Amino acid sequence: MFTKIRTTALVFALGLAPALATANPMVGGAPMLVERNIVENALNSADHTTLVAAVQAAGLVDALQGEGPMTVFAPVNAAFEALPAGTVETLLQPENRPMLQRILTSHVVAGNLSGAEIMRRARASSDGFFHMQTLSGAPLSAQVRGGGLWIYDQSGNAGRVTIGDVNQSNGVIHVVDTVLLPR
């Protein structure tokens, strides 16, 4: 008990309490708690209901609740709505599960990559891009553009990171405004 009190006092004395209290941004109107895993936090985001439904339909809940660490580029509902009419409904059908799994795992990279680290690697590369391999095997590339972080899929489509560094117990989420598609 005494150690806990001393630790708490030290945190406040060093001025770290405000930083710890605001470590994670709100996503979809909900607090994202660092002690929760990727799925547990996504379930609370009003902006990720389509993504959650797709993860469930693809049978990927257990994988995204796994130990990690993993970096997830999480598309918002509006990103799915921007796909051609009927695409999401088609992908959610059981016979299209392998395709849905490939698309969703094309948003996941092994490791815990902060936005600052991704940007640092992109700036340090000879071509201005940080190239990543996703769990599906499809490549993603990150670029710093206009001070923001952009993620490119295999076809060259770009999604902007709108909320970065949402830390989870098993990795980190970066919210993107586009569904990243493999070929």
Side-chain angles (χ1 to χ4, degrees):
M1 175 81 170
F2 183 72
T3 303
K4 184 176 181 181
I5 292 170
R6 281 186 29 199
T7 303
T8 303
L10 180 61
V11 165
F12 279 94
L14 293 175
L16 298 175
L20 292 174
T22 60
N24 259 349
M26 298 274 285
V27 176
M32 298 288 109
L33 305 176
V34 72
E35 63 271 8
R36 291 185 181 163
N37 66 47
I38 290 166
V39 173
E40 290 168 334
N41 273 322
L43 283 168
N44 291 321
S45 170
D47 292 341
H48 290 91
T49 56
T50 305
L51 178 61
V52 168
V55 166
Q56 291 169 337
L60 295 173
V61 171
D62 289 342
L64 291 174
Q65 288 181 328
E67 187 174 322
M70 60 192 97
T71 300
V72 176
F73 298 98
V76 292
N77 293 340
F80 285 98
E81 292 166 7
L83 294 172
T87 300
V88 173
E89 295 78 13
T90 299
L91 287 170
L92 293 176
Q93 294 174 1
E95 62 270 18
N96 295 320
R97 189 177 200 183
M99 185 185 316
L100 181 59
Q101 288 173 336
R102 180 159 164 70
I103 291 169
L104 294 176
T105 57
S106 292
H107 290 79
V108 183
V109 176
N112 193 350
L113 297 168
S114 70
E117 177 63 13
I118 294 170
M119 292 172 95
R120 184 192 69 72
R121 290 184 186 190
R123 287 182 177 126
S125 72
S126 61
D127 66 356
F129 288 90
F130 170 49
H131 302 285
M132 301 169 275
Q133 189 78 21
T134 66
L135 296 185
S136 74
L140 289 179
S141 297
Q143 180 187 41
V144 180
R145 202 170 79 196
L149 182 58
W150 292 79
I151 308 299
Y152 293 81
D153 65 19
Q154 198 170 18
S155 300
N157 300 311
R160 184 173 57 92
V161 174
T162 58
I163 302 173
D165 297 325
V166 186
N167 294 305
Q168 319 287 303
S169 65
N170 61 344
V172 62
I173 289 176
H174 302 288
V175 177
V176 293
D177 63 0
T178 302
V179 177
L180 306 167
L181 299 170
R183 282 192 199 147

